[in-house]
Amino acid sequence: MRFDRRLITHFEWLLPLLAFAVSGLGAMTVYSATHVPGAHGLSPLALRQLLWLAGGSVAMLAALIFDYRRLERSAFVVYVLVLLAVLAVPVLGRIGGGSRRWIPLGPVSIQPSEFMKLGLVLVLARHFARSYERGLGLGAAVVPMLLTAVPAAAILAQPDLGTVAVLGIVSLTMLMLGGIRLRWFVLLRVAVAVTAQVAWPHL
């Protein structure tokens, strides 16, 4: 993997600096709240906070030097893998807080529905990149809506209404950017409103 030196000159330094400032404030807050007078070293919570901060920094640097355009070739693979993980939650997931959303993997647990947000963006971006055209009709929204509806239904059954709402916003945004005529969004809005009235008592 080659490093593009232009990333340094065109890098938006303010964004990560603000992120580090907020993260540092959070770490200090955890340390202050968990510190025991007379004790040596950091508390387990403060240490875990710093470890996650370090891990997040490494992940940010890795994402920075990675050419995101390579994801286009594997967009559907990522989507299918994440979808399979979402569908596996009812079988492999654990119950917490009245819902089953997490899959335990050794000492950690993952929430597949969170990865579906990224998977949906990737697959819709590839779909519209291949078929982009201004003024697309309602028929062009069928495939994107199906790609959204399948994971949304599985996530709603967990139940996780918040993530489903985010997926809906992501889908509508991608439809708009993908070239769907704005007038069709009125029809989609009516359909969503009717569906919400029917589904709300069951949520």
Side-chain angles (χ1 to χ4, degrees), residues 63 66-72 122:
F66 178 75
D67 187 358
Y68 64 89
R69 287 168 292 191
R70 296 183 181 180
L71 294 173
E72 181 184 2
L122 291 177

Side-chain angles (χ1 to χ4, degrees), residues 183-201:
R183 66 186 182 188
W184 292 115
F185 282 93
V186 177
L187 181 60
L188 291 174
R189 183 176 180 179
V190 172
V192 171
V194 172
T195 303
Q197 292 293 328
V198 175
W200 183 259

Side-chain angles (χ1 to χ4, degrees), residues 48-135:
R48 185 172 65 178
Q49 187 82 359
L50 292 176
L51 289 176
W52 277 110
L53 176 57
S57 301
V58 173
M60 182 190 70
L61 293 175
L64 175 64
I65 63 178
F66 178 75
D67 187 358
Y68 64 89
R69 287 168 292 191
R70 296 183 181 180
L71 294 173
E72 181 184 2
R73 296 191 296 269
S74 56
F76 281 101
V77 176
V78 172
Y79 174 82
V80 171
L81 291 177
V82 177
L83 179 60
L84 291 176
V86 170
L87 296 176
V89 168
V91 179
L92 304 177
R94 62 175 177 84
I95 298 178
S99 62
R100 190 188 300 268
R101 305 177 186 176
W102 299 81
I103 296 180
L105 294 176
V108 299
S109 298
I110 63 170
Q111 187 176 357
S113 59
E114 291 297 321
F115 294 96
M116 180 50 68
K117 299 172 185 177
L118 176 60
L120 184 62
V121 169
L122 291 177
V123 75
L124 293 183
R126 176 171 179 177
H127 173 76
F128 283 117
R130 301 295 178 86
S131 61
Y132 177 77
E133 181 182 340
R134 289 185 179 275

